[in-house]
Amino acid sequence: MRQSILTLAVLISGCAEAERFLPKVKFDKLDVRAITFEQIDTDFVFNVSNPNPIEINLASFSYALNLQEIELFSGGNEDGFGLANRGDTQLVLPVDIVFADAWNTVSATRGEDVVGFGLNGHFGFNTPLGEMKLPYDEGGNFPALRTPKFSFKKLKLTHISIWDADLEIDLGVVNEHQSTLFFDNFDYGLQLGGKSVASGLVHTFDVDGDSEGTVTLPINIDLLTAGVTLVDAIIGRGELNIGLSAGMDVDTPFGIIPLSIDETGRVAITD
């Protein structure tokens, strides 16, 4: 009976008036389910309110997501689902993005913590007049997490004797965010000329937003056991292959995120 009354009301009122019988759709929030330096898993949550005394079916919906006005992907669902009578239903659109792919496509602005997102498409509802599609066009801010960039800047000899040598490696750390990044429990191992020479723990350091900082790692080498290649390079101030493996916690604008790195390079020894 209620279905017949609604059908009659819609038929009499026509398409324009029929829209007032349709559920109301409102973008609610962006939920971050998980975030790493490699990927972000999010939910775009819509609230669908049905003012009618009967169940109405969502016949279809479509979506297109862009960051900084560059479309990343689009899709849809033609299966639909039922909306409870006189109630609210959450529609969750899960979106998982690999950051490397996103930043290769989008010219993200360095020095920002977030980039603008746009999400548009339609919701299609079944009515006695057929499927009626209501467009939506939403926007907001999307986390722009970028992996800090590490590079070897200088390998400096600070002391040498017949027994041992002390060196320091200056490691450059680039922060492309607006906010300062804090690095905690930087647990590292160093190789020179293919030989493991040092390990250590830097408890904390930070790099200001949109800048490059430096962390200095000390090395003490026993020249009696170092090997000919390494000793010759130190004495002759030659070049050496450097390897760095490290794990740390990075305090970002989006929480504390673990990071592991494995860097290699070739640097000349200087005084």
Side-chain angles (χ1 to χ4, degrees):
M1 180 65 176
R2 287 180 173 177
Q3 176 69 62
S4 299
I5 293 173
L6 180 62
T7 300
L8 181 61
V10 171
L11 290 173
I12 292 174
S13 59
C15 292
E17 286 295 317
E19 290 190 8
R20 67 189 182 91
F21 294 100
L22 295 177
K24 304 298 186 292
V25 180
K26 182 180 180 182
F27 179 69
D28 186 16
K29 57 186 175 181
L30 169 66
D31 269 346
V32 177
R33 288 181 276 113
I35 186 169
T36 68
F37 283 106
E38 290 76 34
Q39 180 170 318
I40 182 170
D41 301 334
T42 63
D43 286 334
F44 290 86
V45 182
F46 292 83
N47 188 59
V48 187
S49 178
N50 180 15
N52 300 292
I54 61 170
E55 180 178 299
I56 291 182
N57 290 325
L58 176 67
S60 66
F61 70 90
S62 67
Y63 62 89
L65 175 67
N66 69 71
L67 297 181
Q68 297 291 84
E69 300 183 350
I70 304 297
E71 184 173 306
L72 291 185
F73 50 78
S74 59
N77 186 329
E78 301 303 323
D79 296 333
F81 56 85
L83 303 176
N85 60 322
R86 291 195 186 280
D88 294 341
T89 302
Q90 274 196 339
L91 189 154
V92 178
L93 174 62
V95 174
D96 302 335
I97 294 177
V98 176
F99 280 126
D101 296 341
W103 304 144
N104 285 339
T105 303
V106 179
S107 298
T109 304
R110 172 173 167 155
E112 299 293 337
D113 292 336
V114 297
V115 295
F117 80 81
L119 185 67
N120 59 76
H122 81 271
F123 293 95
F125 295 99
N126 285 329
T127 76
L129 298 177
E131 181 180 351
M132 294 192 67
K133 294 184 177 181
L134 299 182
Y136 67 89
D137 192 352
E138 304 291 344
N141 290 325
F142 195 87
L145 185 65
R146 300 176 184 86
T147 305
K149 297 176 181 177
F150 294 81
S151 61
F152 301 111
K153 293 300 181 181
K154 185 184 296 185
L155 177 57
K156 182 169 60 175
L157 179 65
T158 60
H159 164 80
I160 189 169
S161 72
I162 61 172
W163 311 108
D164 67 352
D166 293 328
L167 298 95
E168 292 178 345
I169 291 180
D170 285 345
L171 185 68
V173 188
V174 175
N175 172 17
E176 295 186 349
H177 293 89
Q178 180 182 28
S179 300
T180 299
L181 293 181
F182 297 89
F183 298 80
D184 298 319
N185 302 316
F186 186 88
D187 190 1
Y188 67 91
L190 279 167
Q191 304 84 40
L192 288 180
K195 184 179 180 65
S196 295
V197 294
S199 61
L201 178 68
V202 179
H203 290 289
T204 185
F205 65 93
D206 60 79
V207 179
D208 291 339
D210 195 17
S211 68
E212 180 174 7
T214 302
V215 58
T216 300
L217 308 178
I219 306 171
N220 177 262
I221 297 176
D222 183 347
L223 296 179
L224 299 179
T225 61
V228 175
T229 301
L230 187 52
V231 171
D232 286 348
I234 292 173
I235 294 175
R237 309 299 191 268
E239 289 189 344
L240 281 173
N241 292 322
I242 303 179
L244 169 70
S245 57
M248 70 209 78
D249 294 323
V250 186
D251 194 349
T252 77
F254 316 107
I256 296 175
I257 301 176
L259 175 64
S260 296
I261 61 171
D262 192 1
E263 301 291 331
T264 58
R266 188 170 178 83
V267 182
I269 298 175
T270 62
D271 292 320

